[in-house]
Amino acid sequence: RRVVPATLPRPPRFDDAPQVAAFGAHLKSALCLIKNGQALLSHHLGDLDDPLTWDEFVKADADCADLFDHRPHIFACDLHPRYRSSQHGHARAQADMEGSLVEVQHHHAHLAACMAENGWPRDAGPVGGIILDGLGLGSDGTHWGGEILVGDYASFERQSWLKPAPLLGGAAANVEPWRNLLARLDQAGLQDVADHILPDAPRDLLRQAAQKGVNAPLSSSAGRLFDAVGAVLGLAAHRQSFEGEAAMALEALAQRASASNQSAAYCFGENDGGELDPSRLWQAVIHDLQTDIDPATIAYRFHAGVARSFAAPARTMVKAGTAHAVALSGGCFQNTLLLDLTIRALGDVPVLIHNKVPANDGGLALGQAVIAAAQALEQR
């Protein structure tokens, strides 16, 4: 990102935007201020559960306001009420007697951040978005993370999504990939395989919890799907020592696939009412494992399958005129192999990607800010 904080060029038709302060995400947090049509995205702040990081977050809010001579009356935050950044946004809006708060859906913010970085004009029409990440609170109250959206800065619609699976153990599924492996194998009708691969796991207890919906919320998270495939290949299967470890190892493994094995891709099931079902993918993965296919080839075929399966409906939207381009955003697109394969699968449609603004939650505040500004401009 070079020198930060620094202003980003404004997209066209934001010249008269009001001053906005946006507070980003809970992890990989950063602030964004809009003034005179310019956006200032702060330096990386980090995990707001950490007390020292929280102190720096509050300090950065005050410092950036002083540096930018910023006096907003519109505040923007994530839809998730438990994010400390969202709680800060509520507090700022309440402290300003004339202030208003805009709660922005997580993946819409990712879409808008990519649009804004690429200078997409406010009146240029809708953009499709392939938004793949770990977790974000959806408009329906469930956990999203594998989404195809279509929208502009002011609004969006969810077009397709990865078929949800239970997060067994709730937050524990974010750090223990074997839990996601169990959930996805069971969903694909491969319970016997799960029993064989995970003999020491508390399978019966977790299956009962999933059936009853106890500490097992459904999620369409692409990040957890990457964790599950990493786990079946023995990559950080028991516990990740840092965020994204299994997915990073999976990408590195896929990069080692021989050129002769880079033509095939695993297929998702037919799009049924918007859902992209990975059950066929899992059946193919297990078949290849049982027939001693090179793990690097399996990892590559998985990446190619995700890229093609999400690219196909997004490309159709552009060809049908529903969208004018496709934006790629969310933390999973820090995976350069996935990014390259998705661009390739999209073919000749216009594609927007991140270059200076982080694809992960570090860029979320920019999306929140331009969404709040666009909605304010439309209300004038």
Side-chain angles (χ1 to χ4, degrees):
R1 290 180 56 198
R2 302 181 180 90
V3 177
V4 290
T7 56
L8 297 164
R10 65 180 181 270
R13 308 295 184 268
F14 273 92
D15 300 43
D16 298 327
Q19 295 190 33
V20 178
F23 302 110
H26 189 82
L27 303 175
K28 298 170 284 293
S29 62
L31 305 159
C32 186
L33 310 182
I34 283 184
K35 180 182 177 182
N36 297 333
Q38 297 288 315
L40 182 144
L41 185 62
S42 79
H43 56 293
H44 169 79
L45 292 160
D47 181 355
L48 297 184
D49 278 329
D50 181 87
L52 293 178
T53 303
W54 172 248
D55 290 344
E56 286 301 312
F57 177 87
V58 175
K59 182 175 182 292
D61 184 21
D63 288 347
C64 287
D66 288 342
L67 176 66
F68 215 35
D69 190 23
H70 194 250
R71 300 293 181 266
H73 293 299
I74 299 177
F75 305 92
C77 67
D78 193 271
L79 193 62
H80 201 305
R82 293 185 182 177
Y83 282 5
R84 293 198 75 179
S85 55
S86 298
Q87 295 167 0
H88 183 71
H90 279 268
R92 284 289 306 275
Q94 290 173 359
D96 188 325
M97 300 301 294
E98 299 178 1
S100 62
L101 182 72
V102 179
E103 295 178 319
V104 179
Q105 198 281 319
H106 192 93
H107 301 91
H108 185 204
H110 275 306
L111 171 63
C114 191
M115 293 166 61
E117 179 181 355
N118 284 273
W120 191 262
R122 187 167 64 89
D123 58 356
V127 171
I130 301 176
I131 316 298
L132 307 180
D133 66 357
L135 289 174
L137 183 63
S139 303
D140 59 0
T142 65
H143 299 284
W144 293 5
E147 315 303 320
I148 299 177
L149 310 179
V150 61
D152 53 22
Y153 292 109
S155 62
F156 78 100
E157 294 180 1
R158 190 189 193 199
Q159 296 292 309
S160 298
W161 54 89
L162 180 66
K163 183 175 182 178
L167 296 173
L168 301 176
N174 297 333
V175 294
E176 297 180 352
W178 66 267
R179 294 175 181 267
N180 304 295
L181 175 59
L182 175 61
R184 286 296 181 183
L185 288 175
D186 281 2
Q187 187 183 70
L190 298 168
Q191 291 90 344
D192 291 346
V193 175
D195 291 343
H196 176 72
I197 293 176
L198 301 167
D200 299 324
R203 301 182 309 279
D204 291 342
L205 179 64
L206 291 174
R207 284 165 174 160
Q208 291 175 22
Q211 185 177 15
K212 296 177 181 179
V214 177
N215 201 24
L218 291 174
S219 174
S220 59
S221 170
R224 301 294 80 78
L225 181 64
F226 271 80
D227 289 349
V229 175
V232 82
L233 296 177
L235 306 173
H238 178 65
R239 187 177 182 86
Q240 300 187 92
S241 58
F242 58 88
E243 184 184 9
E245 180 181 5
M248 292 168 66
L250 186 65
E251 178 191 5
L253 179 63
Q255 297 276 16
R256 298 201 294 269
S258 64
S260 61
N261 291 325
Q262 293 184 5
S263 59
Y266 296 133
C267 295
F268 283 58
E270 293 296 323
N271 190 316
D272 181 14
E275 285 190 343
L276 299 172
D277 187 350
S279 295
R280 284 178 57 192
L281 177 149
W282 279 106
Q283 292 160 7
V285 167
I286 298 304
H287 174 270
D288 283 356
L289 277 172
Q290 293 174 343
T291 53
D292 296 323
I293 297 296
D294 177 30
T297 299
I298 294 173
Y300 186 91
R301 290 175 178 175
F302 167 70
H303 279 78
V306 171
R308 295 182 192 182
S309 296
F310 278 90
R315 188 171 187 273
T316 298
M317 287 195 303
V318 177
K319 293 298 183 180
T322 306
H324 302 302
V326 177
L328 308 180
S329 191
C332 291
F333 281 114
Q334 295 176 121
N335 179 324
T336 57
L337 177 60
L338 177 66
L339 179 64
D340 291 344
L341 289 172
T342 305
I343 293 172
R344 193 184 309 170
L346 286 166
D348 59 352
V349 306
V351 180
L352 311 179
I353 64 172
H354 290 281
N355 288 290
K356 295 180 180 178
V357 175
N360 66 13
D361 285 3
L364 208 68
L366 172 62
Q368 295 170 350
V370 293
I371 287 169
Q375 292 178 355
L377 287 169
E378 288 200 355
Q379 292 170 4
R380 288 182 176 177

